Amino acid sequence: MVPIKGYATFHPLKHCLIGKSFSADFFLKNIKNKKIADPLARIADETEEDYQTLEKLLKSHNITTYRPEFDENKYDKNYYGRPPVSPRDHFAVIGETFYAAQTTNFYGSFLKKIDRKKLFLQNYGYNSFLTTANICRVGKDLWWDVHKNTPDYIIKKYKEKWITEGFRVHLSNRSYHSDGVFCVVKPGCIVSLRDIQDYATEFPGWDVLYLPDQSWSKVSPFLKIKEKVGGRWWLKGEEHNDQLIEFVNTWLTDWVGYVEETVFDVNMLSIDENTIICNNYNKKVFAHFKKHRIEPIVFNFRHRYFWDGGIHCITQDLYREGTQEDYFG
């Protein structure tokens, strides 16, 4: 059985799930138009290369890794169902419970590896906001962002459950993935795009680095394709490939997210309090890390603007050492 535990985003990581996509052959076999098939096949190959690079990186830090296993041939007649590229969008580990939201056939074999006593399956239509893409864990405190349309009884159910487990639950209703806008790197250190939280009240005395609009220059070609794709995805070099754009917009709408929300440097994965994996170099961020004695490791997920996910999105921490500490008591 896969061990399950998680009380803080920065506790030592020991077991981690990494995403997976369809293979290049899937596209080359099912799509006859080469202007569409070839770019998608390139995305598939390079995405898997990056996953394997990430897997080696995590294993070099003595972290056990897992990958979803599924039969992609079941999907050769249509393109319904986003492949499991971003486990973070589906799962959460809160304390010693694994919450499975939006379960799909892609993750079925993996879920069988989790002790049923630790597995909490959700059957609500609003469960996409019960993931660690929307829940930030800091010991006894949970910052949970829920969709504005989520029924009160669902919020009450989980809030009361976590309170009985010793957590303090802080609610917000921004209705987007909070791991794309702020990151609690370690006790006393936060990186944020703007005043997402009332940091002075909720994180008193903590050092917060703000990075408003700091990443647009890195993806300036995206502006060329922005209107055509509704701001949702980007593949470098294909800004004028209207056939590919039409195909993705028609058939792969569930695969892409909203890139304008994730063109940031804050979607990061902590290995421990002193080591963090980030998407790219940023002078201000790295200076902030140095100040707090944090070693950054750059990992380039080349197609994060297509898949709408950074390093935090494409992983799901399963087991972190540590306990339910009170960082504000």
Side-chain angles (χ1 to χ4, degrees):
M1 295 286 101
V2 177
I4 299 298
K5 188 173 73 167
Y7 286 103
T9 60
F10 44 77
H11 282 165
L13 178 62
K14 293 301 178 183
H15 292 261
C16 187
L17 177 64
I18 300 173
K20 190 173 184 178
S21 180
F22 293 146
S23 70
D25 287 342
F26 175 87
F27 300 105
L28 296 174
K29 178 178 67 175
N30 291 295
I31 303 174
K32 303 304 180 183
N33 188 330
K34 289 182 64 65
K35 285 184 69 65
I36 297 171
D38 289 352
L40 292 176
R42 175 164 67 89
I43 290 175
D45 277 338
E46 293 176 353
T47 295
E48 180 57 27
E49 288 174 6
D50 291 346
Y51 282 141
Q52 292 185 21
T53 298
L54 176 60
E55 190 168 24
K56 291 178 182 177
L57 171 60
L58 293 179
K59 286 182 176 179
S60 72
H61 286 81
N62 299 316
I63 298 168
T64 302
T65 60
Y66 306 84
R67 303 287 305 278
E69 298 175 2
F70 60 92
D71 182 5
E72 68 178 27
N73 292 320
K74 292 182 178 180
Y75 299 87
D76 60 358
K77 299 302 181 183
N78 61 64
Y79 302 97
Y80 299 113
R82 173 182 166 94
V85 289
S86 299
R88 188 75 57 175
D89 295 346
H90 300 269
F91 305 124
V93 175
I94 310 295
E96 299 187 30
T97 302
F98 185 93
Y99 295 85
Q102 297 181 318
T103 53
T104 70
N105 292 335
F106 295 120
Y107 295 105
S109 61
F110 172 75
L111 294 178
K112 293 178 181 178
K113 299 177 182 179
I114 299 175
D115 187 339
R116 291 288 300 183
K117 295 178 182 178
K118 293 181 176 290
L119 181 61
F120 195 98
L121 297 175
Q122 306 160 68
N123 298 310
Y124 303 117
Y126 301 88
N127 54 28
S128 64
F129 285 86
L130 190 55
T131 73
T132 41
N134 297 83
I135 301 172
C136 179
R137 301 155 298 167
V138 187
K140 287 182 67 67
D141 291 87
L142 301 176
W143 274 267
W144 181 25
D145 189 81
V146 295
H147 196 278
K148 295 177 181 178
N149 297 324
T150 305
D152 290 339
Y153 77 91
I154 293 180
I155 299 172
K156 180 180 178 181
K157 173 181 178 177
Y158 290 105
K159 183 177 180 179
E160 290 181 349
K161 179 181 188 300
W162 291 329
I163 289 175
T164 63
E165 295 174 1
F167 292 103
R168 292 184 293 249
V169 182
H170 311 267
L171 295 174
S172 60
N173 299 103
R174 295 183 298 271
S175 299
Y176 54 74
H177 286 176
S178 55
D179 66 347
V181 290
F182 84 103
C183 177
V184 177
V185 183
K186 68 184 297 185
C189 177
I190 293 176
V191 179
S192 181
L193 294 172
R194 51 189 182 275
D195 239 345
I196 303 301
Q197 312 286 355
D198 181 1
Y199 292 113
T201 300
E202 298 189 336
F203 294 83
W206 286 38
D207 188 5
V208 182
L209 173 67
Y210 295 101
L211 293 168
D213 302 323
Q214 54 79 39
S215 288
W216 279 109
S217 62
K218 296 185 177 67
V219 292
S220 55
F222 168 68
L223 299 177
K224 300 177 183 177
I225 200 175
K226 177 179 176 181
E227 290 186 6
K228 293 182 181 179
V229 300
R232 301 182 67 225
W233 62 276
W234 173 48
L235 176 59
K236 185 177 181 179
E238 302 295 336
E239 291 85 4
H240 304 291
N241 187 341
D242 290 341
Q243 293 180 62
L244 174 66
I245 293 169
E246 181 180 2
F247 181 86
V248 173
N249 287 347
T250 302
W251 296 102
L252 307 184
T253 55
D254 290 338
W255 291 27
V256 296
Y258 198 74
V259 73
E260 289 186 281
E261 290 184 351
T262 54
V263 186
F264 309 134
D265 289 296
V266 299
N267 194 269
M268 301 176 283
L269 179 71
S270 290
I271 291 179
D272 53 44
E273 287 191 16
N274 300 307
T275 315
I276 193 165
I277 305 175
C278 47
N279 293 307
N280 47 24
Y281 172 80
N282 180 281
K283 185 177 179 179
K284 291 183 178 179
V285 174
F286 278 42
H288 193 59
F289 288 160
K290 185 176 181 179
K291 176 181 178 182
H292 290 275
R293 298 181 180 180
I294 299 165
E295 182 67 29
I297 300 173
V298 176
F299 164 74
N300 180 24
F301 187 50
R302 284 171 284 180
H303 296 296
R304 63 184 181 276
Y305 301 130
F306 179 83
W307 295 117
D308 185 37
I311 176 64
H312 195 252
C313 298
I314 64 173
T315 59
Q316 173 58 53
D317 47 313
L318 305 169
Y319 187 93
R320 289 183 180 271
E321 295 179 341
T323 59
Q324 192 187 56
E325 298 182 52
D326 189 347
Y327 292 96
F328 304 94

